[in-house]
Amino acid sequence: MLYNLVRGPQSPRESSPCKNDAVCVSEYLLNSYHCDCRPGFCGTHCEQGENRTHNAIKYCNPKAKSGYYVIDPDGEGGVKPIQVYCDMTEKEGLGVTVVSHDSENKTLVDVFDGYGSYSRDVTYYDTSLLLLASLTTSSAHFEQFIEYVCYHSALLFNGDMRGWWVSRNEENMTYWGAADSVPFKFACGLSNNTCADASYGCNFDKNDWEWRNDSGLFTEKSKLPVTQLRFGDTGVIKD
């Protein structure tokens, strides 16, 4: 006697649609299934989560409150996770991972006249540059604030630079806050030039005997975070 054996489609359990060690629960009456996620994971197939960034935490737990969380930007098997402060309310409810460093307070730079002769390494607390690079890559948006206040001291001077910042790739960068990829500019020197002297790309390049200020956000992810600051033209006691 000859039998024809016909195998039906795989059940959800056999096809393993659930990710991250979630349990696949069959719903036979509905001819469907759902995934029972492990803590910290969510999504139809538990594909979201693992606390890689604050956004993953926020996505899986929309009611998550601001506070300290352990995140793992490069995932399992990479560098060890870090504890950071997550502000879950600042950017229209999206949340912000806050990483602190040792250069957040104003620092007096004086008697450094040579171009770039003053050097300050930026040290980030409780993390490494490698992990910060992973955090930058995995984040939808990354930004870093810079402010420079000076008195009779030039900085960019339309290319004759007295100072610069150094990227994570050890590049000397020619643009400053809010002027990503536009060389020799701060925010005031963009299309609608509002600098103290419109012939320059920043306020302090007027180089007069008044206190001048420029500030803005770096947002070019492939260059951040800032690893070093270099300044010059501060050789006079009043600079």
Side-chain angles (χ1 to χ4, degrees):
M1 184 176 292
L2 182 65
Y3 292 94
N4 290 324
L5 299 178
V6 179
R7 181 175 175 84
Q10 285 185 308
S11 72
R13 287 178 182 272
E14 293 175 298
S15 59
S16 301
C18 301
K19 309 299 181 183
N20 295 308
D21 297 324
V23 176
C24 183
V25 180
S26 298
E27 297 177 350
Y28 294 106
L29 294 179
L30 300 175
N31 192 28
S32 184
Y33 67 92
H34 72 268
C35 297
D36 190 1
C37 303
R38 292 191 296 120
F41 293 88
C42 62
T44 302
H45 297 106
C46 304
E47 72 282 4
Q48 298 287 339
E50 204 176 3
N51 287 10
R52 295 192 63 174
T53 67
H54 69 271
N55 278 333
I57 298 171
K58 186 76 171 178
Y59 181 87
C60 289
N61 182 10
K63 295 183 179 180
K65 296 182 179 180
S66 298
Y68 286 93
Y69 292 84
V70 175
I71 62 173
D72 190 9
D74 61 352
E76 186 176 353
V79 293
K80 67 178 183 179
I82 57 170
Q83 178 174 273
V84 295
Y85 184 82
C86 295
D87 186 332
M88 297 299 190
T89 61
E90 185 172 329
K91 295 290 184 179
E92 299 179 353
L94 293 179
V96 175
T97 301
V98 181
V99 180
S100 298
H101 56 77
D102 66 351
S103 301
E104 296 176 359
N105 297 322
K106 290 183 178 179
T107 302
L108 176 64
V109 179
D110 204 1
V111 198
F112 287 90
D113 197 43
Y115 292 9
S117 57
Y118 173 83
S119 173
R120 181 179 179 88
D121 293 331
V122 181
T123 301
Y124 296 88
Y125 298 132
D126 302 320
T127 187
S128 66
L129 190 59
L130 180 62
L131 191 53
L132 281 176
S134 296
L135 177 60
T136 304
T137 301
S138 61
S139 298
H141 181 76
F142 192 96
E143 63 186 34
Q144 194 163 8
F145 179 76
I146 182 75
E147 181 180 29
Y148 187 52
V149 180
C150 68
Y151 187 86
H152 191 52
S153 176
L155 181 69
L156 303 176
F157 232 54
N158 291 341
D160 187 21
M161 295 194 308
R162 275 71 162 165
W164 53 89
W165 62 279
V166 181
S167 74
R168 75 170 190 242
N169 303 314
E170 300 183 354
E171 303 166 282
N172 293 340
M173 306 305 297
T174 61
Y175 65 84
W176 286 74
D180 283 357
S181 301
V182 182
F184 320 127
K185 303 284 186 183
F186 240 108
C188 71
L190 297 178
S191 56
N192 184 23
N193 193 305
T194 59
C195 298
D197 183 336
S199 63
Y200 294 107
C202 59
N203 286 316
F204 28 74
D205 280 351
K206 188 171 183 178
N207 203 19
D208 58 357
W209 298 97
E210 292 187 23
W211 285 103
R212 300 288 179 185
N213 171 284
D214 275 296
S215 63
L217 292 170
F218 296 124
T219 60
E220 191 172 6
K221 290 171 52 175
S222 63
K223 307 299 181 183
L224 297 173
V226 176
T227 60
Q228 189 182 73
L229 298 169
R230 303 292 295 269
F231 297 109
D233 193 29
T234 67
V236 179
I237 194 64
K238 292 184 179 180
D239 280 11

